[in-house]
Structures are given as C-alpha cells and as structure tokens.
Amino acid sequence: LVVTVGIFNGGTKENIIADQAELTGTVRAFNREFRNSMPEVIKSVVEPVVKGYGCSAEVDYYFGPSPLINDHEDLVQIARGAASKEMGEDALIPLKKMTGAEDFSVYMETVPGVFGYLGCRNEEKGIIAAHHHPAFDVDEDVLYHGTGIYVQFALDYLLSSPERLRPEAIYAAPFYNQRSQSAGDGMEKSYEEILRVLQCIGKDPAGFAFRG
C-alpha cells in the first residue's frame, strides 16, 4: 500500500491562520479488495485526528483505474509464447510489481486479458529517458515487433482450442459483425478467413472441428 499526499492547499496570507485546508493525494495497492476498503480506512484515520484539534473533515474519495493484474494464466502463457516466437526467449524479462496506474485494467474488469511492455530503449540512439521524463522518446524500429506479437498471440489463442474456432464463436466477435451484411454472409466470410490463416501458417484445416 502507498498513500501519497501530493497537494496541500490552505490559507491566503502568511500572517493569517487558515480556517480551512485541502489535502489531495493518491492511493496505490496491489490487492483489489484491500484497495476497495481504503475510503473507510482513510476516514477512520483522518476524523479522530482533526477532532483532536477542534476541527472537522470531509473525505471525498473517488476510484481511478484498478490495479492491473495479469491473473489469467492461460493468456499469460500464450503471450509469453508469442513474444518468444517473435523476438526470442531472451526478450522475456520479468518485471517487479509497479504502482503506476494503467487504464487497461478497466478492460480487464470486463473481459480476460494480458498486459505487457515492449521495450523501446536504445542507448546507441540516445533513447534512454524513462516514462514521463521530458526527454522521453521511442525507438520506432522496434514497433513492428509489437505488431508481430499481436498477430502471433491471436493465432496461438485461436489454435489453442478448437472450441474457439466454432462458427458461432467467430461470428459473435464484433469485428465480423461489423464487416458482414447478414448472418449468413458473416459466417461464410469467417470460414474463409480462418481457413486462409490456417493454410498460411501450415496448419491442416481438416484437423479442426468446425461445428454449427
């Protein structure tokens, strides 16, 4: 748990005692349930303290993005495999827990997902500044690896289970719904595109059960 008070505003002049003050800060936690309890925890600490000085306090708490936790192990393994195929095993580097906020967690509250970093540091080009630094820059020569990992992940995800290649599962994706004029047209396009993908990567389409 990290609680940071980054703003403290109060008073209008150096020789006048302020009648009110405002403190603003952030809370970072690695556990979703514990984080949800923080409004009451903060109130239980603040209210007795201000009461001791004959004051009162109002706690206004709002939740930003929740902690981003890669807790879908099956997707993590598929992503690791995709990155290894694209960039080699040496590209996989374990990361320690970080308290930075990431709004991708909002997606993961609704659907399973996995999140990772694509390294863009290049000392030879002088690209060494960290995020949020005024000199931060990106080595764009690595960006195509990100595309490769995305594509490889999608293929490996589909091929990891024949159930994911069922026509109704494919057609349910918004991508196909938006591209087709009718249900029949969408199903036909889905079959054709999946078959082309399987053939391009050397997979025998006959080995997969396409069931209606």
Side-chain angles (χ1 to χ4, degrees):
L1 171 69
V2 177
V3 178
T4 302
V5 177
I7 301 175
F8 195 143
N9 291 323
T12 57
K13 192 169 175 60
E14 68 273 8
N15 63 343
I16 300 176
I17 297 175
D19 63 346
Q20 65 179 12
E22 181 182 41
L23 284 71
T24 306
T26 65
V27 172
R28 307 296 170 96
F30 296 128
N31 182 283
R32 298 185 184 99
E33 290 72 23
F34 180 64
R35 173 177 177 266
N36 290 339
S37 71
M38 289 311 299
E40 291 302 319
V41 171
I42 290 176
K43 287 178 65 176
S44 69
V45 173
V46 170
E47 291 177 347
V49 172
V50 299
K51 186 177 181 180
Y53 287 92
C55 302
S56 61
E58 179 181 339
V59 178
D60 182 14
Y61 194 105
Y62 74 92
F63 286 95
S66 63
L68 195 156
I69 303 173
N70 281 330
D71 51 5
H72 298 284
E73 185 61 27
D74 58 334
L75 299 183
V76 170
Q77 294 306 318
I78 293 173
R80 288 177 59 88
S84 297
K85 292 173 184 177
E86 172 66 25
M87 302 183 68
E89 286 284 345
D90 294 341
L92 296 175
I93 301 175
L95 292 175
K96 296 181 179 179
K97 291 181 179 180
M98 295 179 289
T99 56
E102 173 51 61
D103 52 13
F104 187 79
S105 63
V106 177
Y107 294 109
M108 294 177 65
E109 290 175 353
T110 304
V111 295
V114 59
F115 185 87
Y117 286 100
L118 178 65
C120 60
R121 178 187 176 97
N122 191 319
E123 295 185 3
E124 293 181 359
K125 297 180 180 180
I127 301 175
I128 58 175
H131 294 166
H132 304 294
H133 189 283
F136 176 72
D137 197 2
V138 172
D139 180 10
E140 296 185 0
D141 289 340
V142 306
L143 296 184
Y144 76 94
H145 285 303
T147 303
I149 293 171
Y150 266 117
V151 173
Q152 189 66 59
F153 177 90
L155 292 174
D156 290 348
Y157 175 80
L158 287 173
L159 297 174
S160 64
S161 171
E163 286 293 310
R164 292 169 178 154
L165 291 173
R166 289 182 297 116
E168 58 267 34
I170 296 170
Y171 180 67
F175 175 74
Y176 288 107
N177 281 331
Q178 292 169 5
R179 295 181 57 187
S180 22
Q181 299 296 321
S182 65
D185 183 37
M187 297 288 276
E188 184 178 346
K189 287 185 177 179
S190 299
Y191 277 123
E192 293 175 355
E193 294 186 20
I194 290 296
L195 289 173
R196 281 200 298 270
V197 168
L198 293 173
Q199 291 166 352
C200 286
I201 61 176
K203 299 292 184 180
D204 180 9
F208 295 87
F210 293 92
R211 298 195 302 273

